[in-house]
């Protein structure tokens, strides 16, 4: 939420308007004016008798006024009293009593008069009284003896002081005595007991009176109170007390209320308007009465009514005549009630309705002074002029007195004077000075020139034009240098000259001119208004829920007028942030680290500028796991149930969702807590089911969204009585571990399930379906029993029953099990194999009789292995493979066989004990399949038009090879493939010479083998025929000729001369077409070799598609350099890394990956090849 903390427009206007109205009536001090009292002491002035007395009286006027004083109505001659001095340029009296003087000597009524040639002003009557703090009169304080239950009043009776003291009761240790509905202090200072108790007995009831004016405390003698109980009254005490002292020897009885104060049924109270009304009713009774207040015929005033002293005192502040009436207090207890009615009358000292205000008139003008006051009773109005009753003052034809009004007409300069209005009744008086100053003055503007006003857009702008003149000038406002007069609804013009723009906008910015004129002249003044953009919080802090120990960040991003400098302040709960290093204030945020419970609260970001203030708040709620429950209590304790109740711990601001109840079995598992149950978070009691023979303790864990609380303290222990077991063991099974036994196993009962001491088990069994009787045995608290001498794998009925010292559990359920298994006796028969294809076969067999299984049939297991390949290649190692088929199946599939091979298999039955004997081995063969790829393909002996191919047969022929197929096609310089040629080769061949090929041409070859089933995988290679050997030889010969070397030198010299000429011409300012010359004499090294002259052209790799540099060279050893080209012959095959030998032959090797091996030792010089250079000239 965001709130803007600015003074409302109406309030701001009113404040400024009132202030400026006063300013407008102020006569500049350089002009003649009557005196005005500016400061004076209060009417009722109580002074400290230990300090000097200072009676203030300050005034202003032109010429400066002189001062005189009266005391008790007569002139006070200051010069005759050495202790009295007057402050320089002031009328303030200073009475020096520090050196032996007495304040009492200067008690009286003082009045100050300030006078100059234009009149006289007077102060209020100032009553001087020294404060008094007298001691208590000496008195003998008798001890109070009172019977328990009776009322008691301890009187304070403080001395009369000035001002009245503050009363309170304390003991000898200066500790305030406790007060409550039964014991309380009255308005008169007395201590009232509605009824006494034995604990009220003490000897140091002391009443203290504190006199604030003199900062002194007076103490009354301690009062001793002895409260007697009738039950403990003995003969010795009764012998020392008379019946009168003892208030009668009646037993303690309850009684209805009666009032201790005020007495009677009615009383009257007079209070003055504006004061605080205090009404009191204190009652006694047993039990202690309760007091309530009502106003007859009306309601107690809202917002002004307060109850104090345990509702025994009614307090109404700022009373008015409307609060007059009857107020009734009613004191009530169970035995009855009493009441008292107080009639309240509100009187009023005089108060102003219209106080007289100074008049500034020009000669010949008219005016009025109004002095209007009210009070109860209505006040009398009297007038004085220059401190003299107007009836005996010099005549002035320009004035006329009409009750509370003086009318002036056609005033002249001699009419200047100070008038005093006195409104008085029996409760007080009001005195006001107001002057009439007759002046003829041209206008003057009192607001400083070029004053700058700054406001926030959409707020009121108040431009001041404080002025003075006589007659009163007229005010006009203009905007801008040549602006017209301002008027209309957009502006408000105040009588004091202020211009108000109710809703200032950005276009309201500018210069405003105020012009004041009267008949004696005119004057103007300029002020400037700047309207600023409001400060806004564009990203406010947000509500946060953080776990204790975490951290939080509140953001506060503001937008403001660029000419204003904002300050950001963070508050917590409208106060300062704690002085804690965990609170980190950044530019636009507040971070709190390691949060604790104390950090919970409302955080407010306040952005202040010199003109406005905005704020935004967010609440931080600190949450955590709940505090543990406490005060666990066990009730309704029965044999099989109990009620548990608890008090929840603090939820740490996250509601408790549920309670988890855990128990400990102190007898069987001490220290181990088990889950019992859980209930809703609103529940604090639960009925728990119990088991016999358990020593229970309980604890409760509270859970909320944050997590689980710590466990509560354990409850008291509760031991339940023993009983028969309620249940039998679970998980009963019969499984033989040997062919001739039966192992009966079960899950034993836990300790608390035993229900009593002496836990044992009755184990019973019999063979199923043979009519045997049950065989039983009682065993200790174990988990299994072994029955020996049983037939192999026969069914048995079993049961296990729990028992303890008190009896048996209910009859247990019967369970079927089997005695031990043995290995199967026979092998599956009639095993047959059918080959589905070259890699898959299906096996069939006949199941064996169930009696021969001798156990739980788990399935059939096939063992199979490869004997040999039918292509005459024996396997070195015989690896048997196993496939298991679960259940009573009679067939299965054998996948992953090798084609054209001979296999053997056998089948065995499997039970829980193991495998039975194997069936006779069965031989079967797989048919032919397609071969694998040839083991290698090499291309050697490249010539101008032929290549030699060599290969190896497939590693896995998978049948009888019938032929090889070779396909090849040329590849041009743009990697386009030419026509495909296919050749069929007999299966017994391992090499082939291809003739009639194009010279210097790259070919791609595809090669694969075939069986009668089909073609196998292919292998690919690439090779290149060589260039014309004669041309190569001729190129080498030219490169070694002397004339060629000379020609190259001449060309170099010519290029050098051209460069020098170009340099000279350029220095002379000429231009030389270097680019054209360079194009005409291209560098031969960067010319491509042409196919028609036998040289290599551009070639790019099929992988990178990056062309070789023009003029790239083939080294002398015919290897393809990696530096010259990133190409690799492998890119047209499947992983061939190759290079040319010195004789021009190509070496290739089959590989599954495309790898590029760098040429070793074939680096060539960076110098241009003479052969290539020569070719570029051909």
């Amino acid at each position: 939420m965001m709130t803007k903390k600015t003074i409302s427009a109406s309030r701001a206007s009113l404040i400024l308007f009132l202030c400026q109205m006063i300013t407008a009536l102020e006569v500049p001090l350089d002009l003649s004016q009557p005196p005005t009292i500016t400061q004076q002491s209060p009417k009722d002035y109580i002074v400290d008798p230990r300090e000097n007395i200072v009676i203030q009286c300050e005034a202003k006027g032109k010429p400066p006024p002189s001062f005189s004083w009266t005391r008790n109505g007569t002139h006070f001659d200051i010069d005759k009293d050495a202790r009295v001095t007057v402050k320089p340029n002031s009328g303030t009296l200073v009475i020096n009593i520090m050196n032996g003087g007495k304040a009492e000597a200067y008690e009286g009524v003082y009045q100050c008069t300030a006078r100059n040639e234009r009149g006289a002003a007077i102060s209020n009557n100032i009553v001087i009284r020294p404060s008094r703090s007298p001691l208590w009169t000496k008195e003998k304080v008798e001890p109070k003896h009172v019977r328990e239950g009776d009322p008691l009043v301890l009187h304070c009776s403080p001395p009369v002081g000035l001002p009245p003291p503050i009363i309170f009761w304390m003991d000898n240790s200066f500790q305030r005595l406790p007060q409550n509905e039964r014991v309380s202090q009255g308005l008169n200072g007395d201590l009232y007991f509605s009824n006494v108790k034995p604990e009220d007995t003490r000897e140091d009831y002391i009443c203290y009176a504190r006199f604030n004016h003199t900062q002194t405390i007076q103490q009354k003698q301690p009062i001793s109170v002895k409260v007697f109980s009738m039950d403990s009254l003995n003969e010795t005490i009764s012998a020392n007390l008379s019946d009168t002292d003892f208030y009668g020897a009646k037993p303690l009885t309850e009684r209805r209320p009666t009032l201790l104060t005020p007495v009677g049924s009615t009383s009257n109270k007079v209070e003055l308007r504006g004061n605080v009304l205090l009404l009191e009713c204190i009652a006694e009774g047993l039990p202690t009465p309760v007091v309530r207040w009502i106003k007859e015929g009306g309601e107690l005033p809202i917002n002004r009514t307060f109850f104090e002293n345990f509702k025994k005192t009614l307090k109404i502040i700022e009373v008015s005549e409307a609060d007059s009436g009857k107020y009734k207090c009613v004191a009530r207890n169970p035995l009855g009630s009493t009441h008292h009615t107080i009639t309240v009358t509100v009187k009023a000292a005089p108060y102003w309705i219209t106080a007289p205000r100074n008049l500034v008139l020009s000669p010949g003008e008219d005016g009025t002074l109004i002095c209007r006051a009210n009070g109860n009773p209505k006040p009398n109005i009297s007038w004085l002029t220059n401190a003299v009753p107007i009836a005996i003052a010099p005549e002035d034809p320009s004035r006329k007195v009409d009750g509370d009004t003086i009318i002036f007409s056609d005033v002249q300069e001699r009419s200047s004077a100070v008038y005093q209005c006195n409104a008085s009744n029996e409760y007080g008086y009001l005195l006001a000075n107001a002057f009439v100053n007759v002046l003829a003055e041209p206008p003057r503007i009192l607001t400083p020139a070029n004053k700058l006003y700054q406001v926030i857009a959409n707020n009121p702008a108040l431009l001041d034009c404080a002025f003075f003149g006589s007659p009163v000038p007229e005010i006009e406002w203009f905007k801008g240098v040549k602006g017209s007069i301002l008027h209309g609804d957009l502006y408000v013009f105040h009588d004091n000259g202020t211009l108000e723009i109710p809703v200032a906008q950005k276009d309201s910015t500018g210069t405003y001119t105020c012009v004041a004129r009267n008949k004696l002249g005119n004057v103007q003044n300029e002020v400037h208004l700047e309207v600023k953009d409001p400060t806004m919080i564009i990203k406010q802090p947000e509500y946060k829920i953080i776990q204790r120990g975490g951290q939080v960040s509140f953001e506060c991003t503001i937008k403001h007028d660029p000419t204003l400098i904002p300050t950001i302040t963070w508050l917590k709960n409208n106060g300062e942030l704690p002085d804690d290093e965990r609170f980190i204030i950044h530019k636009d945020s507040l971070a709190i680290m390691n949060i604790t419970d104390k950090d919970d609260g409302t955080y407010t970001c306040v952005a202040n500028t010199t003109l406005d203030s905005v704020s935004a708040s967010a609440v931080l709620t600190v949450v955590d796991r709940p505090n543990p429950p406490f005060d666990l209590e066990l009730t309704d304790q029965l044999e099989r149930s109990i009620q548990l109740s608890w008090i929840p711990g603090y939820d740490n601001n996250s509601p408790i969702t549920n309670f988890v109840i855990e128990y400990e079995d102190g007898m069987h598992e001490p220290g181990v807590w088990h889950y019992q149950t859980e209930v809703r978070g609103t529940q604090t009691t639960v009925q728990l089911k119990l088991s016999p023979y358990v020593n229970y303790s309980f604890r409760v864990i509270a859970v909320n969204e944050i997590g689980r609380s710590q466990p509560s303290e354990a409850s008291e222990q509760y031991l339940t009585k023993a009983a028969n077991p309620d249940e039998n063991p679970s998980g009963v099974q019969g499984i033989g571990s040997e062919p001739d036994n039966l192992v009966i196993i079960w899950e034993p009962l836990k300790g608390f399930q035993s229900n009593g001491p002496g836990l044992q088990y009755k184990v019973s069994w019999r063979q199923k379906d043979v009519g045997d009787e049950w065989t039983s045995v009682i065993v200790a608290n174990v988990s299994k029993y072994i029955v020996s001498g049983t037939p192999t794998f026969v069914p048995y009925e079993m049961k296990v029953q729990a028992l303890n010292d008190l009896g048996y559990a209910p009859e247990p359920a019967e369970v079927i099990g089997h005695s031990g298994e043995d290995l199967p006796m026979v092998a599956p028969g009639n095993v047959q194999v059918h080959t589905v294809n070259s890699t898959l076969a299906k096996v069939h067999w006949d199941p064996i009789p169930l009696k021969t299984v001798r156990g739980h049939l788990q399935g059939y297991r096939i063992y199979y292995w490869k004997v040999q390949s039918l292509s005459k290649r024996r396997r070195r190692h015989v690896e048997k493979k196993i496939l298991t088929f679960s259940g009573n199946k009679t067939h299965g599939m054998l996948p992953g066989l090798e084609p054209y091979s001979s296999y053997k298999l056998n089948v065995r039955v499997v039970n829980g004990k193991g495998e039975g004997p194997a069936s006779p081995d069965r031989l079967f063969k797989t048919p032919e399949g397609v071969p694998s790829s040839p083991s290698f393909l090499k291309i050697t002996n490249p010539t101008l038009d032929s290549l030699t191919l060599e290969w190896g047969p497939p590693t896995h022929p998978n049948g009888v090879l019938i032929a090889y197929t070779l396909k090849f096609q040329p590849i041009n310089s743009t990697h386009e493939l030419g026509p495909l040629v296919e050749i069929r080769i007999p299966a017994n061949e391992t090499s082939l010479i291809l003739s009639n090929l194009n010279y210097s041409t790259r070919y791609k070859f595809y090669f694969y083998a075939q069986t009668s089933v089909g073609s196998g995988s292919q292998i690919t290679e690439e090779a290149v025929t060589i260039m014309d050997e004669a041309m190569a030889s001729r190129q080498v010969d030219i490169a070694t000729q002397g004339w060629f070397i000379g020609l190259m030198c001449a060309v170099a010299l010519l290029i050098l001369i051209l460069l020098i000429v170009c340099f000279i011409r350029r220095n002379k300012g000429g231009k030389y077409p270097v680019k054209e010359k360079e194009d005409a004499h291209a560098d031969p090294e960067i010319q491509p070799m042409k196919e028609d002259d036998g040289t290599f052209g551009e070639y790019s790799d099929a992988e990178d598609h990056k062309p070789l540099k023009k003029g790239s060279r083939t080294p002398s050893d015919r290897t393809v350099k990696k530096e010259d080209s990133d190409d690799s012959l492998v890119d047209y095959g499947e992983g061939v890394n190759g290079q040319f030998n010195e004789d021009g032959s190509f070496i290739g090797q089959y590989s599954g990956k495309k790898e590029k091996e760098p040429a070793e030792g074939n680096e060539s010089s960076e110098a241009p090849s003479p052969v290539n250079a020569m070719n570029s000239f051909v």
Side-chain angles (χ1 to χ4, degrees), residues 964-1002:
Y964 291 102
T965 298
L966 172 66
K967 297 179 182 180
F968 65 94
Q969 59 190 143
I971 305 172
N972 64 17
S973 60
T974 60
H975 306 296
E976 295 177 349
L977 299 173
L980 188 65
V981 178
E982 181 175 336
I983 300 174
R984 189 175 178 85
I985 304 169
N988 57 352
E989 297 288 340
T990 59
S991 65
L992 176 68
I993 298 176
L994 285 178
S995 303
N996 299 321
L997 302 176
N998 295 327
Y999 70 91
S1000 188
T1001 301
R1002 182 184 293 272

Side-chain angles (χ1 to χ4, degrees), residues 405-418:
T405 304
I406 301 180
I407 303 170
F408 297 92
S409 57
D410 191 22
V411 298
Q412 301 300 320
E413 187 173 355
R414 65 178 180 276
S415 301
S416 295
V418 181

Side-chain angles (χ1 to χ4, degrees), residues 62 71 150 360 425 517 567 693 700 721 850 874 919 993 1001 1042 1097:
K62 181 70 173 183
R71 178 184 175 189
D150 285 354
V360 178
N425 66 10
R517 59 169 54 92
T567 58
Y693 199 56
V700 183
K721 294 181 179 180
L850 290 179
R874 286 188 171 274
S919 67
I993 298 176
T1001 301

Side-chain angles (χ1 to χ4, degrees), residues 24-25 360 362 365 439 441-446 465-476 494-497 514-524:
L25 295 176
V360 178
S362 64
E365 282 190 321
L439 295 171
E441 285 293 326
R444 61 171 71 182
I445 294 178
L446 306 178
C465 184
F467 63 89
F468 182 79
S470 186
V472 176
E474 294 181 355
I475 302 298
E476 293 176 334
H494 293 284
D495 292 340
N496 64 348
C514 163
V515 178
R517 59 169 54 92
N518 66 10
K519 63 183 180 181
L520 301 178
N522 63 75
V523 67
Q524 69 180 36

Side-chain angles (χ1 to χ4, degrees), residues 153-186:
V153 179
L154 300 182
H155 297 286
C156 180
S157 305
V160 178
L162 186 66
I166 296 173
I167 306 300
F168 50 93
W169 289 80
M170 294 196 298
D171 58 17
N172 277 330
S173 301
F174 297 98
Q175 299 297 316
R176 286 185 178 268
L177 296 176
Q179 297 189 24
N180 47 45
E181 289 184 345
R182 186 178 62 85
V183 182
S184 60
Q185 177 182 313

Side-chain angles (χ1 to χ4, degrees), residues 746-748 761 779-785:
W746 60 90
E747 185 73 28
Y761 299 102
V779 298
N781 187 11
V782 294
S783 61
K784 71 178 180 179
Y785 180 77

